[in-house]
Protein backbone atom coordinates (compact mmCIF):
# COMPACT_ATOMS: atom_id res chain seq x y z
CA UNK A 1 0.00 0.00 0.00
CA UNK A 2 0.92 3.65 -0.01
CA UNK A 3 3.36 4.90 2.60
CA UNK A 4 3.71 8.20 4.40
CA UNK A 5 6.85 8.63 6.54
CA UNK A 6 7.85 11.20 9.13
CA UNK A 7 10.63 11.56 11.63
CA UNK A 8 9.42 10.86 15.16
CA UNK A 9 10.76 13.79 17.18
CA UNK A 10 11.75 17.42 16.80
CA UNK A 11 12.90 19.73 19.56
CA UNK A 12 13.23 23.50 19.08
CA UNK A 13 13.77 26.59 21.17
CA UNK A 14 10.90 29.03 21.61
CA UNK A 15 11.07 31.77 18.97
CA UNK A 16 12.97 29.64 16.46
CA UNK A 17 11.46 28.16 13.31
CA UNK A 18 10.41 24.50 13.20
CA UNK A 19 10.48 22.42 10.06
CA UNK A 20 8.63 19.12 10.06
CA UNK A 21 9.25 16.83 7.10
CA UNK A 22 7.20 14.14 5.43
CA UNK A 23 7.78 11.83 2.48
CA UNK A 24 5.18 9.81 0.63
CA UNK A 25 5.15 7.21 -2.10
CA UNK A 26 1.82 7.73 -3.86
CA UNK A 27 2.44 9.37 -7.24
CA UNK A 28 -1.27 10.03 -7.71
CA UNK A 29 -1.74 12.19 -4.59
CA UNK A 30 -4.37 14.89 -4.92
CA UNK A 31 -4.14 16.71 -1.60
CA UNK A 32 -1.63 16.65 1.23
CA UNK A 33 -2.62 17.66 4.73
CA UNK A 34 -1.10 18.64 8.04
CA UNK A 35 -2.99 17.76 11.20
CA UNK A 36 -2.07 18.73 14.78
CA UNK A 37 -2.83 16.58 17.83
CA UNK A 38 -2.49 18.21 21.23
CA UNK A 39 -2.36 16.05 24.37
CA UNK A 40 -5.77 14.55 25.13
CA UNK A 41 -7.39 16.11 22.09
CA UNK A 42 -8.42 14.96 18.66
CA UNK A 43 -6.59 15.77 15.47
CA UNK A 44 -7.15 19.24 14.10
CA UNK A 45 -6.66 20.10 10.44
CA UNK A 46 -4.05 22.87 10.22
CA UNK A 47 -3.69 23.28 6.49
CA UNK A 48 -3.64 21.40 3.21
CA UNK A 49 -2.10 21.85 -0.21
CA UNK A 50 -3.22 20.71 -3.62
CA UNK A 51 -0.71 18.51 -5.38
CA UNK A 52 -0.15 20.93 -8.27
CA UNK A 53 0.99 23.70 -5.92
CA UNK A 54 4.47 24.00 -4.51
CA UNK A 55 3.89 26.40 -1.63
CA UNK A 56 1.11 27.62 0.60
CA UNK A 57 1.41 30.19 3.38
CA UNK A 58 -1.06 30.70 6.20
CA UNK A 59 0.08 33.13 8.90
CA UNK A 60 2.96 31.40 10.74
CA UNK A 61 2.62 28.22 8.70
CA UNK A 62 4.35 27.57 5.39
CA UNK A 63 3.81 24.34 3.49
CA UNK A 64 6.32 23.35 0.82
CA UNK A 65 5.68 20.54 -1.62
CA UNK A 66 8.29 18.96 -3.87
CA UNK A 67 6.19 16.68 -6.02
CA UNK A 68 9.16 15.27 -7.93
CA UNK A 69 10.79 14.06 -4.72
CA UNK A 70 7.45 13.38 -3.01
CA UNK A 71 8.52 15.52 -0.08
CA UNK A 72 6.26 17.73 2.02
CA UNK A 73 7.31 20.07 4.80
CA UNK A 74 5.60 22.27 7.36
CA UNK A 75 7.48 25.30 8.61
CA UNK A 76 6.25 27.02 11.77
CA UNK A 77 7.72 30.49 12.21
CA UNK A 78 8.35 31.93 15.69
CA UNK A 79 7.52 28.62 17.37
CA UNK A 80 5.69 28.96 20.69
CA UNK A 81 5.24 26.54 23.59
CA UNK A 82 1.60 26.18 22.50
CA UNK A 83 2.85 24.63 19.29
CA UNK A 84 4.07 21.58 21.23
CA UNK A 85 2.04 18.69 19.84
CA UNK A 86 2.17 15.76 17.45
CA UNK A 87 1.98 16.76 13.79
CA UNK A 88 0.65 14.29 11.23
CA UNK A 89 0.94 14.59 7.52
CA UNK A 90 -1.65 12.79 5.43
CA UNK A 91 -2.59 12.40 1.80
CA UNK A 92 -5.51 11.50 -0.41
CA UNK A 93 -5.17 10.40 -3.99
CA UNK A 94 -6.97 9.70 -7.22
CA UNK A 95 -6.85 6.02 -6.29
CA UNK A 96 -8.55 6.42 -2.93
CA UNK A 97 -10.34 9.22 -1.16
CA UNK A 98 -9.25 7.85 2.20
CA UNK A 99 -6.79 9.76 4.34
CA UNK A 100 -3.43 7.96 4.61
CA UNK A 101 -1.56 9.21 7.65
CA UNK A 102 2.10 9.34 8.55
CA UNK A 103 3.39 8.19 11.93
CA UNK A 104 3.39 11.69 13.38
CA UNK A 105 6.23 13.97 14.55
CA UNK A 106 6.28 15.00 18.18
CA UNK A 107 7.35 18.64 18.38
CA UNK A 108 8.70 19.81 21.71
CA UNK A 109 9.27 23.53 22.24
CA UNK A 110 11.49 24.55 25.13
CA UNK A 111 12.00 28.04 26.59
CA UNK B 1 -16.38 22.72 12.00
CA UNK B 2 -17.85 20.02 14.23
CA UNK B 3 -17.63 19.29 17.95
CA UNK B 4 -17.18 15.60 18.65
CA UNK B 5 -17.28 13.84 21.99
CA UNK B 6 -16.31 10.27 22.77
CA UNK B 7 -17.14 8.09 25.75
CA UNK B 8 -15.35 6.70 27.60
CA UNK B 9 -12.19 8.79 27.34
CA UNK B 10 -10.17 5.86 28.64
CA UNK B 11 -10.68 2.39 30.05
CA UNK B 12 -8.75 -0.57 31.34
CA UNK B 13 -10.34 -3.88 30.43
CA UNK B 14 -9.75 -7.55 31.00
CA UNK B 15 -8.83 -9.93 28.23
CA UNK B 16 -11.89 -11.59 26.65
CA UNK B 17 -14.35 -8.82 27.47
CA UNK B 18 -15.89 -6.25 25.10
CA UNK B 19 -16.03 -2.47 25.21
CA UNK B 20 -18.40 -0.16 23.36
CA UNK B 21 -17.17 3.32 22.49
CA UNK B 22 -19.65 6.08 21.73
CA UNK B 23 -19.17 9.00 19.37
CA UNK B 24 -21.54 11.99 19.44
CA UNK B 25 -21.42 14.95 17.02
CA UNK B 26 -23.04 18.32 17.62
CA UNK B 27 -24.55 18.48 14.13
CA UNK B 28 -25.67 16.14 11.37
CA UNK B 29 -22.81 14.82 9.26
CA UNK B 30 -22.66 12.76 6.12
CA UNK B 31 -19.69 10.54 6.92
CA UNK B 32 -18.43 9.06 10.18
CA UNK B 33 -15.24 7.03 10.52
CA UNK B 34 -13.45 4.96 13.13
CA UNK B 35 -9.66 4.89 13.36
CA UNK B 36 -7.13 3.07 15.50
CA UNK B 37 -3.91 4.71 16.65
CA UNK B 38 -1.52 2.15 18.05
CA UNK B 39 1.39 3.33 20.22
CA UNK B 40 4.02 5.00 18.06
CA UNK B 41 2.13 4.30 14.86
CA UNK B 42 0.00 6.25 12.45
CA UNK B 43 -3.77 6.28 12.35
CA UNK B 44 -5.34 3.31 10.61
CA UNK B 45 -8.88 3.46 9.28
CA UNK B 46 -11.01 0.64 10.71
CA UNK B 47 -14.30 1.33 8.95
CA UNK B 48 -16.76 3.88 7.62
CA UNK B 49 -19.96 3.97 9.66
CA UNK B 50 -22.92 4.18 7.29
CA UNK B 51 -26.23 5.51 8.51
CA UNK B 52 -28.96 2.92 8.14
CA UNK B 53 -26.77 0.19 6.70
CA UNK B 54 -23.80 -2.00 7.57
CA UNK B 55 -20.41 -0.37 8.06
CA UNK B 56 -17.74 -0.62 5.36
CA UNK B 57 -14.63 -2.27 6.79
CA UNK B 58 -11.05 -1.84 5.66
CA UNK B 59 -8.75 -4.72 4.90
CA UNK B 60 -7.73 -6.48 8.09
CA UNK B 61 -10.80 -5.47 10.09
CA UNK B 62 -13.97 -7.56 10.40
CA UNK B 63 -17.46 -6.96 11.70
CA UNK B 64 -17.32 -9.75 14.27
CA UNK B 65 -14.37 -8.12 15.99
CA UNK B 66 -15.40 -4.47 15.54
CA UNK B 67 -19.19 -4.22 15.23
CA UNK B 68 -20.31 -0.68 14.44
CA UNK B 69 -23.69 0.98 14.72
CA UNK B 70 -24.88 4.28 13.29
CA UNK B 71 -28.54 4.77 14.12
CA UNK B 72 -28.68 8.43 13.00
CA UNK B 73 -26.64 11.27 11.50
CA UNK B 74 -25.06 12.40 14.79
CA UNK B 75 -24.16 9.20 16.66
CA UNK B 76 -22.13 6.03 16.20
CA UNK B 77 -20.69 3.26 18.36
CA UNK B 78 -17.70 0.99 17.90
CA UNK B 79 -17.44 -2.21 19.93
CA UNK B 80 -14.09 -3.91 20.45
CA UNK B 81 -15.04 -7.55 21.02
CA UNK B 82 -13.25 -10.37 22.80
CA UNK B 83 -10.34 -8.10 23.59
CA UNK B 84 -6.69 -9.09 23.79
CA UNK B 85 -3.67 -6.99 24.82
CA UNK B 86 -2.99 -6.36 21.10
CA UNK B 87 -6.20 -4.27 21.02
CA UNK B 88 -4.64 -1.74 23.40
CA UNK B 89 -4.76 1.45 21.41
CA UNK B 90 -6.40 4.83 21.01
CA UNK B 91 -9.66 4.64 19.08
CA UNK B 92 -10.72 7.80 17.28
CA UNK B 93 -13.99 8.81 15.74
CA UNK B 94 -13.96 11.32 12.91
CA UNK B 95 -16.60 12.98 10.77
CA UNK B 96 -16.80 14.65 7.44
CA UNK B 97 -19.45 17.25 6.79
CA UNK B 98 -20.99 17.96 3.41
CA UNK B 99 -18.16 17.97 0.88
CA UNK B 100 -18.20 21.11 -1.26
CA UNK B 101 -14.76 20.63 -2.79
CA UNK B 102 -12.53 17.61 -3.31
CA UNK B 103 -10.67 18.38 -0.09
CA UNK B 104 -11.19 15.60 2.46
CA UNK B 105 -11.51 17.63 5.66
CA UNK B 106 -12.24 15.47 8.67
CA UNK B 107 -12.88 16.50 12.25
CA UNK B 108 -11.70 14.19 14.99
CA UNK B 109 -12.92 13.33 18.45
CA UNK B 110 -10.52 13.32 21.42
CA UNK B 111 -10.11 9.55 21.28
CA UNK B 112 -10.65 6.65 23.67
CA UNK B 113 -7.51 5.22 25.22
CA UNK B 114 -8.01 1.49 25.73
CA UNK B 115 -5.69 -0.73 27.75
CA UNK B 116 -6.32 -4.48 27.77
CA UNK B 117 -4.70 -6.53 30.52
Amino acid sequence: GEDVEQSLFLSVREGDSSVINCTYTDSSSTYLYWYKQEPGAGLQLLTYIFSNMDMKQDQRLTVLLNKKDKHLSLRIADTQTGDSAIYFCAETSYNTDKLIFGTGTRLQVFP
Amino acid sequence: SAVISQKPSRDICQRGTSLTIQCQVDSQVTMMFWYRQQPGQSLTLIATANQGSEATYESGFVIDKFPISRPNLTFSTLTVSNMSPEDSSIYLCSVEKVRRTSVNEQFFGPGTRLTVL
Side-chain angles (χ1 to χ4, degrees):
Chain A
E2 303 303 342
D3 253 347
V4 180
E5 303 267 346
Q6 297 177 242
S7 53
L8 291 180
F9 297 103
L10 177 65
S11 185
V12 301
R13 190 180 297 277
E14 191 174 17
D16 288 351
S17 292
S18 309
V19 179
I20 303 170
N21 294 301
C22 173
T23 57
Y24 59 97
T25 59
D26 190 349
S27 56
S28 60
S29 288
T30 50
Y31 287 93
L32 294 118
Y33 307 77
W34 283 104
Y35 278 82
K36 177 183 180 183
Q37 185 181 33
E38 295 184 78
L43 278 72
Q44 171 198 359
L45 180 64
L46 283 179
T47 187
Y48 60 88
I49 188 168
F50 188 47
S51 59
N52 70 351
M53 296 170 62
D54 51 21
M55 187 181 95
K56 181 178 180 181
Q57 187 142 7
D58 184 0
Q59 299 183 339
R60 290 191 298 123
L61 306 179
T62 304
V63 179
L64 295 178
L65 174 61
N66 181 327
K67 194 172 180 182
K68 174 175 166 290
D69 294 339
K70 298 190 182 68
H71 182 267
L72 179 75
S73 69
L74 174 69
R75 179 176 180 270
I76 306 172
D78 187 24
T79 312
Q80 303 297 307
T81 54
D83 295 322
S84 294
I86 301 176
Y87 290 82
F88 291 90
C89 69
E91 60 117 6
T92 50
S93 73
Y94 292 108
N95 299 323
T96 174
D97 192 41
K98 300 183 179 76
L99 282 168
I100 308 297
F101 285 90
T103 50
T105 299
R106 183 179 294 273
L107 173 65
Q108 183 177 14
V109 183
F110 57 93
Chain B
S1 68
V3 178
I4 304 161
S5 60
Q6 285 186 234
K7 288 182 186 177
S9 58
R10 57 178 62 225
D11 208 342
I12 301 172
C13 300
Q14 295 296 321
R15 181 195 298 260
T17 62
S18 297
L19 176 72
T20 295
I21 302 167
Q22 298 179 4
C23 176
Q24 179 75 54
V25 193
D26 67 339
S27 57
Q28 292 186 346
V29 295
T30 52
M31 308 287 282
M32 295 183 79
F33 307 91
W34 286 99
Y35 288 84
R36 181 172 72 184
Q37 184 180 9
Q38 293 182 299
Q41 297 190 27
S42 64
L43 280 75
T44 303
L45 181 63
I46 297 171
T48 303
N50 300 308
Q51 195 265 329
S53 65
E54 204 168 273
T56 306
Y57 289 84
E58 298 300 306
S59 175
F61 297 97
V62 295
I63 187 170
D64 290 347
K65 175 67 177 176
F66 297 102
I68 287 170
S69 79
R70 188 173 173 194
N72 56 51
L73 292 174
T74 63
F75 185 79
S76 177
T77 66
L78 168 75
T79 299
V80 186
S81 303
N82 188 24
M83 287 184 284
S84 67
E86 292 71 36
D87 295 320
S88 298
S89 191
I90 298 173
Y91 292 86
L92 294 140
C93 167
S94 80
V95 305
E96 186 183 347
K97 304 194 86 170
V98 175
R99 174 105 51 111
R100 292 194 173 84
T101 70
S102 49
V103 179
N104 184 340
E105 182 175 6
Q106 293 185 23
F107 301 91
F108 284 79
T112 295
R113 184 180 294 271
L114 171 62
T115 303
V116 184
L117 303 176

